[in-house]
Amino acid sequence: MSKKVIRTDKAPAPVGPYNQAISASGKMLFVAGQVPLDPQSGNIVGEGDITAQTKQVMANIEAILTEAGANWNNIVKTSVFLTDLANFSPMNQVYAQYFAEETAPARACVEVSRLPKDVLVEIECIAVIAE
């Protein structure tokens, strides 16, 4: 298996020993969990606002997908982490703008006690980029 590191300055730089995404054998793309950081400033976007934070997370994911030659239609699985499941509905309203209901990826959504930088949401995904 070959693997290729995917990096773009249009999404936040990793803050630890990981990469934004890894392409495995040019077929599968594993996108690391994205939090609502502005890629240029490194600051949290939408402090305390789940809608603004989800929009930034999705923008970060889109930048990584684009760098890898993929798009939203390539995603087959997402995992959503929320610090409060009371934020599920507003997060889901933003999330739904990126996927048609008929072809939306499989998804897990869980409440966690805390996320990096005390953000409200983190989303990771897996995409198929070649058949």
Side-chain angles (χ1 to χ4, degrees):
M1 174 192 84
S2 64
K3 73 177 190 178
K4 177 183 175 188
V5 173
I6 306 297
R7 289 189 184 130
T8 178
D9 60 1
K10 294 178 175 63
V15 293
Y18 65 92
N19 287 292
Q20 292 169 326
I22 298 292
S23 172
S25 299
K27 296 180 180 180
M28 299 291 296
L29 180 68
F30 299 87
V31 178
Q34 295 299 303
V35 295
L37 295 180
D38 176 89
Q40 276 63 56
S41 70
N43 294 329
I44 297 169
V45 172
E47 189 77 39
D49 180 346
I50 188 63
T51 298
Q53 287 197 9
T54 305
K55 287 178 182 178
Q56 185 62 49
V57 166
M58 299 305 267
N60 294 342
I61 291 171
E62 186 167 44
I64 295 166
L65 291 171
T66 300
E67 184 68 22
N71 62 49
W72 296 106
N73 293 326
N74 297 105
I75 296 177
V76 296
K77 173 74 167 80
T78 63
S79 297
V80 179
F81 306 94
L82 296 170
T83 56
D84 186 346
L85 278 176
N87 286 326
F88 178 82
S89 183
M91 175 282 299
N92 202 48
Q93 288 177 350
V94 174
Y95 179 97
Q97 296 171 18
Y98 294 83
F99 302 105
E101 190 172 325
E102 309 77 45
T103 58
R107 178 177 78 183
C109 182
V110 296
E111 180 177 295
V112 296
S113 63
R114 192 170 180 201
L115 289 167
K117 299 188 179 275
D118 293 318
V119 300
L120 303 175
V121 61
E122 179 174 352
I123 301 175
E124 66 179 14
C125 66
I126 300 170
V128 175
I129 53 178
E131 292 187 14

